[in-house]
Amino acid sequence: MEERSEKTTAEKSTETSKRIRLLVKDLNKKAHEAQSRGDPIAYLFISSFYDDILRAMDITTIGTENFAGLCAAKAAAPRFLDKAESEGYARHLCTYATCGLGFDAMRQELGEAPPDSPDGGMAQPTVMLGTGMMICDPRYKWYQAAQRYTKAPTHILGLLNPPVHYTHTELNEVRDYYIKYVIEEMRDLVVFLERETSRKMDWDRLSEVVDLSERTIRLWHDTYQLRKAVPAPMPTQDALNAMVPGYFMMGTQMAYDFYKELYDELKYRVDNGIGTIDNEKYRLMWALSLPPWYGLVIFNYFQSLGAVFPIELVYQPPRLIDIPSHITDPIERMAWRFWGAMTGGHEKARSNTGDTNVEWMLELIEDYKIDGVVFHQAMTCRTIHTGQLNQINILKKYTDKPVLLLEGDIVDVRNYNEGATRTRVDAFIDVLDSYKRRKEG
């Protein structure tokens, strides 16, 4: 096996993002405490749009993808992947899922979390909440497979994505249908949770949680606008930490306070010209690509060559949407938020590239003064990474910015070659340097 750097995680630039590791530990600690008390615990996926319901019902959550990423970063994933493969799950499946399934299988065999699991491992779930959005197979099937080991009842929320990639479609013609459908799905989820946890929804509290979530999303959005500054006040590797409160703690005061602290820090850095690195030569964008959680140190390698990532397409705050003032029911507001997050770039794409993701890239390239674009093709994640070559081809029709496509995985380090990756980065920096010299001269 190729010799790799011992260090996996990247050095952070902002003090606020450095606190995330403690927040993650606290999340896992609270899950184990809830298990010891017999309180309900839910497995759930990132970006499922129902977090507010769980907060209002005091149901502790475990982000199973987050745990798999933690295992990768802590070099703890291989034994769980091996266990999943021994259970019959193919190596080419989503490694978030196979890492989680391997852990669940080992926990069932041992009667407790496997020794040396990061943060004590995942607590036993009371319920598992899938969601049929984002064309991701595991969001349907992962938790169904996990029932072999957890025996926990599973609910699949049918949040069908609006047809945003069919840019000939008039979305306003189908908007009311989709919002009504999402409202029905959310209400069905409440019924399921009330039945399985013996807890009743407090609708007044849900309204308060939704209010807090909407304020948090706007603050998160405003914070990331500060990242447009030159030099870049916060890089992508910090954002890969800073997304945790927004995606796994939404609807909590702690998430709001985190982004307020991050906003204040970035505002100070911008006002005082404090950048990520001392000599910022190249500004790069991390495209719509999940990162190699076992190899985030690659971002520091870019920095050693004078390149910084001011922005990324993944783990962005949801797009802001103006919810009509007459919409006061909290479930309806959640449905409108879902619609806005899914359709925000559709109209602009219709009049230009015809691809909502490429349209978003072009927008960020301009706003964040980007010199080049880096994609990461994670071998086992079809959801995000299918279509990357098509995105690159369309992108090249609208910009001459240099593009780099790296290869790896999200969790399985066997799909990654660090030496070959650095060699490709070196070559890309040479191309980028020539491009900038040509543009400037």
Side-chain angles (χ1 to χ4, degrees):
M1 180 178 290
E2 179 222 358
E3 185 176 344
R4 298 181 62 250
S5 301
E6 291 186 7
K7 186 172 179 57
T8 60
T9 56
E11 293 293 334
K12 311 299 185 300
S13 297
T14 56
E15 294 302 314
T16 308
S17 68
K18 293 175 183 178
R19 293 201 299 106
I20 289 296
R21 182 69 189 100
L22 294 177
L23 291 181
V24 171
K25 286 184 177 180
D26 187 60
L27 286 175
N28 290 320
K29 179 183 176 183
K30 287 179 178 177
H32 287 287
E33 290 173 348
Q35 179 176 301
S36 66
R37 294 192 302 267
D39 290 343
I41 298 169
Y43 273 7
L44 83 169
F45 290 101
I46 194 172
S47 298
S48 293
F49 293 94
Y50 49 62
D51 301 58
D52 295 359
I53 291 172
L54 301 169
R55 303 284 176 248
M57 297 180 72
D58 285 324
I59 297 172
T60 301
T61 59
I62 297 175
T64 50
E65 296 147 305
N66 191 37
F67 177 73
L70 175 63
C71 288
K74 295 296 181 182
R79 59 175 171 155
F80 301 139
L81 297 174
D82 288 344
K83 179 61 177 176
E85 289 172 23
S86 74
E87 292 282 299
Y89 298 102
R91 178 177 169 179
H92 66 262
L93 295 175
C94 168
T95 46
Y96 281 157
T98 50
C99 182
L101 289 167
F103 172 87
D104 284 337
M106 293 179 70
R107 181 183 56 199
Q108 182 200 41
E109 285 185 357
L110 297 171
E112 60 183 5
D116 301 321
S117 297
D119 296 349
M122 294 187 288
Q124 174 75 22
T126 310
V127 294
M128 299 187 292
L129 307 179
T131 174
M133 56 176 291
M134 294 177 67
I135 65 169
C136 177
D137 298 343
R139 287 175 178 256
Y140 284 101
K141 304 304 295 184
W142 175 353
Y143 294 165
Q144 294 176 30
Q147 285 183 303
R148 295 172 58 189
Y149 314 113
T150 68
K151 313 303 181 188
T154 299
H155 181 85
I156 307 296
L157 211 71
L159 295 186
L160 299 177
N161 280 9
V164 292
H165 298 296
Y166 299 94
T167 47
H168 61 277
T169 303
E170 290 283 357
L171 286 189
N172 285 335
E173 294 179 0
V174 297
R175 183 195 65 189
D176 292 347
Y177 166 82
Y178 274 91
I179 290 177
K180 179 182 178 182
Y181 177 78
V182 172
I183 290 170
E184 292 175 354
E185 289 293 309
M186 293 285 190
R187 293 196 184 281
D188 284 347
L189 175 62
V190 172
V191 172
F192 170 83
L193 291 172
E194 287 183 333
R195 182 179 70 243
E196 297 297 336
T197 68
S198 299
R199 295 193 172 187
K200 288 293 182 183
M201 170 60 76
D202 183 333
W203 295 100
D204 289 336
R205 185 174 180 200
L206 180 59
S207 288
E208 294 172 358
V209 172
V210 169
D211 285 341
L212 180 56
S213 290
E214 290 170 2
R215 289 191 288 113
T216 301
I217 290 169
R218 184 166 293 278
L219 176 59
W220 186 10
H221 175 272
D222 292 345
T223 300
Y224 275 30
Q225 296 303 298
L226 294 171
R227 299 174 64 192
K228 295 177 180 178
V230 179
M234 186 180 90
T236 287
Q237 61 264 34
D238 287 39
L240 295 177
N241 268 24
M243 64 89 172
V244 168
Y247 281 108
F248 298 104
M249 302 168 65
M250 185 57 70
T252 68
Q253 187 64 42
M254 189 175 294
Y256 181 89
D257 292 344
F258 173 86
Y259 289 115
K260 180 62 171 68
E261 183 178 340
L262 183 61
Y263 179 92
D264 291 342
E265 181 178 3
L266 294 192
K267 184 70 165 59
Y268 176 84
R269 291 171 70 93
V270 170
D271 290 346
N272 291 275
I274 302 172
T276 298
I277 56 178
D278 293 333
N279 185 18
E280 182 180 290
K281 296 180 181 178
Y282 318 105
R283 292 169 66 88
L284 305 179
M285 179 174 68
W286 187 261
L288 191 61
S289 310
L290 297 183
W293 293 108
Y294 48 76
L296 297 183
V297 68
I298 193 64
F299 286 103
N300 292 140
Y301 185 68
F302 274 102
Q303 288 181 183
S304 72
L305 302 174
V308 66
F309 289 82
I311 198 62
E312 60 291 324
L313 264 74
V314 290
Y315 305 126
Q316 282 275 321
R319 290 179 181 263
L320 299 180
I321 179 173
D322 291 325
I323 301 174
S325 59
H326 69 276
I327 304 297
T328 58
D329 179 87
I331 293 286
E332 291 186 43
R333 286 161 61 190
M334 293 171 65
W336 274 84
R337 206 163 73 208
F338 168 80
W339 172 263
M342 293 293 103
T343 64
H346 180 265
E347 287 304 313
K348 193 172 182 181
R350 288 188 71 193
S351 62
N352 194 27
T353 63
D355 186 294
T356 53
N357 290 326
V358 173
E359 199 66 42
W360 193 11
M361 292 181 209
L362 292 172
E363 180 182 324
L364 295 180
I365 285 172
E366 180 177 355
D367 289 349
Y368 291 80
K369 300 178 176 62
I370 297 301
D371 300 310
V373 182
V374 178
F375 287 78
H376 172 240
Q377 191 171 63
M379 300 297 183
T380 63
C381 177
R382 295 191 299 276
T383 305
I384 298 296
H385 305 91
T386 296
Q388 282 181 326
L389 295 180
N390 184 57
Q391 289 175 13
I392 291 172
N393 289 334
I394 298 175
L395 186 65
K396 287 182 176 179
K397 294 179 181 178
Y398 293 87
T399 179
D400 62 350
K401 304 292 183 184
V403 174
L404 171 64
L405 177 62
L406 299 176
E407 295 179 352
D409 195 61
I410 43 179
V411 174
D412 194 344
V413 72
R414 294 173 296 180
N415 293 329
Y416 181 70
N417 185 311
E418 185 175 64
T421 298
R422 292 194 175 204
T423 298
R424 297 180 76 171
V425 171
D426 290 340
F428 178 67
I429 294 297
D430 288 341
V431 171
L432 198 61
D433 187 66
S434 297
Y435 170 83
K436 288 204 69 175
R437 287 178 183 274
R438 186 170 69 253
K439 286 292 185 180
E440 293 168 358

